[in-house]
Amino acid sequence: MRRSIFSICALVFFQLGFSQSYQLTEDMPFKAGEFLEMKASIGFIKAAEVSFNVSNIIYSVNDHPTWKIDINAKTSGMFDLFSPVRDNWGTYYDTTKLIPQRFYRYIREGRFRKNEILYFDHDKDSVLVTKLHKETKKLEKREEYAIPHNVQDMVTGYYYLRSIDFDKLNVGDIITVNTFFDEKEQPFRVKFTGREVIKTKFGKVKSVVLVPIIEKDSLFEEDNTLKVWLSDDLNKIPLKFQAKIYVGYLRVELKKAKNLKHPMAVVQ
C-alpha cells in the first residue's frame, strides 16, 4: 500500500471516529469557523502541514443541515521536493444527528491521484461510492455498499470523538470504532489511557491521552506505537500525536487554533 506522510497522519487521526452511542457532552465542542493547523516533522525535519477547517456556512445536504469540514494537507521542505502531497479530505457533517451525509477526497501524492465522493443514505444503511477520473474528475464508476447504521466517515469520526464525555469513561476503556473507508467497513479500537499535562505552543495544557490499537505491519515497528493527546476541555482539539515508524518518530503538533468555541485548558 502506498503511504505518504499525510497518509500516516490520516491513519492516526481518522481511526478515532466513533459509530457507537457513547454519552456526549451537553455542549458541542466546536463551532462554525473553527480553524486548526498542525505541523508534522520526522526528527528535526519538517515534513508536512495539516489544517482542519469548519466552514462558516451551514449547508443543506439530503435535507439535513450540515457543517462542511475540510482537512487539507501538504508536504513541506525536502519532502515537497521528492514526493509532493496536496490532499483534501472533506465531509458534510449532520449538525443534529452527528453522522456524515457526504464525504469526498481528492488525493495528489507524487504521481498518484485518487478522487472520489461518497453519498450516504442512512435511512437505507447504504452508501454510493463514485470514482472520478484522476485528472478531469469526471465520473468513471459508481458502486453501492451496505453500511452499519450511523457509520462515520474518516473525517466525521474525529469530530464525533470530540463530543464524547471522557469523564464518563474509565482509564483503560477500549472503544470499538466503525468507519467506512476504501469500500468497506473498517472497525478499529482505541484505548483511553489517562490524562497528562503537556507543553505546547500555547503553554502547558491539560490533555486526555488515547492509544489507537492497530495491527503490526511494515509501517509501524511495534504494536501500539501511536499516541494521541487531545485537550482536556470542552474543545477536545488535537494537541499532539506521535508515531514510531520505520524512519524514526513522526510528531505532529498544534501550531494554530482560531475561533475555538470554549477556552483551552491551559494550566496557569
Side-chain angles (χ1 to χ4, degrees), residues 181-231:
F181 184 60
D182 278 343
E183 289 77 63
K184 61 183 178 180
E185 177 189 354
Q186 302 228 26
F188 298 97
R189 296 185 300 160
V190 61
K191 179 186 287 187
F192 172 47
T193 62
R195 290 175 162 85
E196 295 179 7
V197 175
I198 64 171
K199 292 182 179 180
T200 73
K201 176 183 177 181
F202 309 92
K204 293 182 179 180
V205 181
K206 296 178 182 179
S207 68
V208 295
V209 187
L210 305 173
V211 175
I213 300 173
I214 62 174
E215 295 181 1
K216 183 178 179 180
D217 64 10
S218 60
L219 173 65
F220 300 102
E221 292 188 348
E222 303 172 3
D223 295 332
N224 305 334
T225 57
L226 310 181
K227 196 172 183 180
V228 181
W229 291 261
L230 303 181
S231 62

Side-chain angles (χ1 to χ4, degrees), residues 108-262:
R108 296 175 56 199
E109 300 176 356
R111 295 183 179 180
F112 177 77
R113 302 286 187 273
K114 185 169 186 175
N115 303 309
E116 66 178 6
I117 303 175
L118 278 60
Y119 300 89
F120 289 91
D121 187 337
H122 294 282
D123 292 334
K124 297 181 179 179
D125 289 336
S126 68
V127 60
L128 178 65
V129 178
T130 60
K131 301 290 186 179
L132 311 180
H133 187 273
K134 64 180 182 179
E135 297 295 346
T136 66
K137 297 181 181 178
K138 290 184 177 180
L139 178 63
E140 289 190 326
K141 183 180 179 181
R142 62 175 68 188
E143 290 184 277
E144 190 168 351
Y145 298 88
I147 56 174
H149 191 57
N150 290 342
V151 73
Q152 301 290 333
D153 66 36
M154 300 301 281
V155 175
T156 62
Y158 160 67
Y159 282 85
Y160 187 80
L161 168 70
R162 292 173 59 183
S163 302
I164 296 292
D165 187 347
F166 282 88
D167 290 335
K168 305 300 182 183
L169 298 179
N170 296 315
V171 172
D173 280 354
I174 296 176
I175 305 169
T176 302
V177 178
N178 286 322
T179 60
F180 184 84
F181 184 60
D182 278 343
E183 289 77 63
K184 61 183 178 180
E185 177 189 354
Q186 302 228 26
F188 298 97
R189 296 185 300 160
V190 61
K191 179 186 287 187
F192 172 47
T193 62
R195 290 175 162 85
E196 295 179 7
V197 175
I198 64 171
K199 292 182 179 180
T200 73
K201 176 183 177 181
F202 309 92
K204 293 182 179 180
V205 181
K206 296 178 182 179
S207 68
V208 295
V209 187
L210 305 173
V211 175
I213 300 173
I214 62 174
E215 295 181 1
K216 183 178 179 180
D217 64 10
S218 60
L219 173 65
F220 300 102
E221 292 188 348
E222 303 172 3
D223 295 332
N224 305 334
T225 57
L226 310 181
K227 196 172 183 180
V228 181
W229 291 261
L230 303 181
S231 62
D232 189 12
D233 51 33
L234 292 177
N235 299 303
K236 295 297 187 298
I237 58 175
L239 298 172
K240 180 176 74 170
F241 77 76
Q242 178 175 290
K244 187 177 181 182
I245 59 177
Y246 58 89
V247 292
Y249 277 97
L250 170 68
R251 292 182 175 87
V252 184
E253 297 178 303
L254 182 67
K255 296 300 181 183
K256 188 179 295 184
K258 296 182 178 179
N259 295 323
L260 297 183
K261 187 172 183 180
H262 308 281

